[in-house]
Amino acid sequence: MDEHAASILKESDQMISRLQLLSVYFQEEVVYKIFLRSQVIHQLFADNPDLSIDKLELFHLQFTASVVELLKKIKKNNEKNVTLIDDEIRLNREVIEKLNETLVNEHSFIAGKQRQSLKINNSLRNLYEVLSDLTTDFPFVRNITQFSARFAKDFYYTITSDQLAQLVDYDAAKVYANQYATIERKLMGLLCKHDFKTDFLYGLKSGTLIIEVYKFSETDQYFLFYPSRNLFLFYRPEEMPDTDFSVAPSEKAKLIQELAYKNDKLQSNAAAVKSYIPAEIIRLLEENYLKISDIHFLNNLNNFDVQANILKTMLNTDML
């Protein structure tokens, strides 16, 4: 075998190797069939030195090279689209991770509400005794603001500064007050009547300021605790008509399921997008496969010009 023939066969082998890799990538039947047929054509020339080796080079130049370049362009475009899908999956996973952390905190929040109610009830009982006995004892139990500091960010409902100002406004003539706390007189009377049995209902926040809302255990009456001023006032939910209390923390579990389902679909789509070849190109490749499968392909090699030109035209369009 002369050096010229050896060089063409080497280049042919390299071209077919590229085609093989692309057939594995796309997993498309017609691409694999073209690879196999190209291999047969290559071997035909390798086993028959009497055949004009230049025809093998012409075959690759007119057909295989254009197929490889076209498939490489599709592959690059597909990989870009897959990257976008992967980015969305990654972002969804980050959201799921944060929501899972919040759900763990939700269990702590639910358990902590009862403890916080007990702290407030004991503090109010102490405040009643301090006000009754005119002592200077500090009425609040330890760590009374720790609950809100821990859970306000994720579990308290947001209100405006105007709403907060409205809620904590009071008539000074209608409250008991000392150096530690301020409480509405009628509220203290109601607390005594119900033996200081109240339950934490929910929290409100405006910026860094928070309000805790409590409900009397045996009646539909409410009061608020404003830690910034140690202030206790009656609270009427109807005064907050524009506040959305419908999005409960438990909704986050549903959102996690929805995002996980969406990621499963995206992953399935990514596999399809990765190996996608437009239908128009599939049809063209099938036509070309039929041509190179013709037993008289060597005699008709020059007829590949038309098909090769169509492939090259596709390379320069926005079809992909």
Side-chain angles (χ1 to χ4, degrees):
M1 182 184 299
D2 61 32
E3 186 175 336
H4 176 66
S7 176
I8 290 177
L9 284 170
K10 181 179 179 181
E11 291 175 1
S12 173
D13 199 39
Q14 291 172 345
M15 183 66 71
I16 291 171
S17 293
R18 296 190 194 103
L19 193 55
Q20 180 184 22
L21 291 174
L22 289 166
S23 72
V24 172
Y25 178 88
F26 284 104
Q27 295 293 305
E28 175 61 48
E29 182 182 5
V30 68
V31 178
Y32 186 66
K33 287 162 67 176
I34 289 172
F35 155 67
L36 290 178
R37 187 59 184 169
S38 299
Q39 217 175 18
V40 169
I41 293 172
H42 170 90
Q43 199 60 45
L44 180 65
F45 281 93
D47 295 340
N48 295 275
D50 293 337
L51 293 174
S52 174
I53 197 69
D54 292 328
K55 284 193 173 184
L56 176 61
E57 184 178 36
L58 182 62
F59 164 69
H60 285 309
L61 286 173
Q62 290 187 338
F63 178 70
T64 319
S66 296
V67 170
V68 167
E69 287 305 310
L70 185 61
L71 291 175
K72 283 171 64 178
K73 184 176 181 181
I74 296 172
K75 178 176 178 287
K76 182 177 181 181
N77 188 65
N78 289 358
E79 287 174 342
K80 181 175 66 176
N81 292 332
V82 169
T83 297
L84 294 175
I85 294 174
D86 288 342
D87 287 343
E88 185 175 356
I89 290 173
R90 176 179 54 79
L91 291 174
N92 286 342
R93 284 175 177 165
E94 290 176 1
V95 172
I96 289 172
E97 184 177 346
K98 291 178 181 178
L99 288 173
N100 275 324
E101 291 175 1
T102 303
L103 280 181
V104 171
N105 288 336
E106 183 179 352
H107 295 301
S108 299
F109 173 67
I110 294 171
K113 286 166 66 174
Q114 186 174 359
R115 292 192 295 271
Q116 182 66 5
S117 299
L118 184 60
K119 286 182 180 181
I120 286 293
N121 292 339
N122 287 338
S123 296
L124 286 168
R125 192 185 299 274
N126 293 340
L127 178 60
Y128 170 74
E129 292 175 357
V130 167
L131 292 172
S132 298
D133 298 339
L134 300 177
T135 68
T136 58
D137 295 338
F138 184 71
F140 295 101
V141 300
R142 293 179 57 187
N143 301 324
I144 197 169
T145 61
Q146 189 177 60
F147 181 79
S148 286
R150 180 178 178 186
F151 296 111
K153 179 181 177 182
D154 292 323
F155 299 101
Y156 283 21
Y157 299 101
T158 299
I159 60 174
T160 66
S161 57
D162 289 341
Q163 287 175 314
L164 184 140
Q166 178 185 347
L167 289 174
V168 300
D169 185 40
Y170 64 91
D171 184 348
K174 297 181 179 180
V175 300
Y176 294 116
N178 68 5
Q179 59 185 315
Y180 300 119
T182 301
I183 183 170
E184 279 194 86
R185 293 173 182 268
K186 289 185 178 180
L187 174 57
M188 180 61 82
L190 196 61
L191 286 164
C192 291
K193 178 180 177 180
H194 290 281
D195 195 27
F196 300 92
K197 293 179 180 178
T198 71
D199 301 307
F200 181 95
L201 188 61
Y202 51 72
L204 306 172
K205 63 183 176 182
S206 177
T208 59
L209 298 176
I210 64 99
I211 288 175
E212 296 174 2
V213 176
Y214 293 82
K215 178 181 181 297
F216 284 91
S217 302
E218 300 174 359
T219 181
D220 287 332
Q221 290 181 288
Y222 310 85
F223 70 92
L224 63 82
F225 171 46
Y226 184 38
S228 293
R229 298 184 191 171
N230 287 339
L231 176 64
F232 297 90
L233 302 173
F234 277 111
Y235 170 79
R236 298 167 183 82
E238 60 270 17
E239 294 178 358
M240 305 291 290
D242 298 326
T243 304
D244 182 10
F245 297 109
S246 62
V247 183
S250 58
E251 290 292 316
K252 294 174 183 176
K254 180 181 178 182
L255 181 56
I256 289 173
Q257 291 180 332
E258 291 174 350
L259 287 173
Y261 175 72
K262 184 177 182 181
N263 269 4
D264 288 341
K265 290 186 66 177
L266 286 171
Q267 286 176 329
S268 297
N269 290 344
V273 167
K274 177 181 177 182
S275 59
Y276 172 73
I277 300 177
E280 304 93 317
I281 295 177
I282 292 290
R283 287 195 294 270
L284 183 62
L285 293 176
E286 288 172 344
E287 290 173 10
N288 278 272
Y289 171 71
L290 290 176
K291 289 185 179 295
I292 65 174
S293 298
D294 191 321
I295 193 170
H296 302 297
F297 83 96
L298 287 178
N299 296 329
N300 299 322
L301 188 57
N302 290 333
N303 293 334
F304 280 118
D305 287 337
V306 174
Q307 291 298 115
N309 287 336
I310 295 174
L311 285 169
K312 290 173 182 176
T313 299
M314 283 191 170
L315 282 168
N316 298 316
T317 67
D318 295 327
M319 177 183 294
L320 309 178

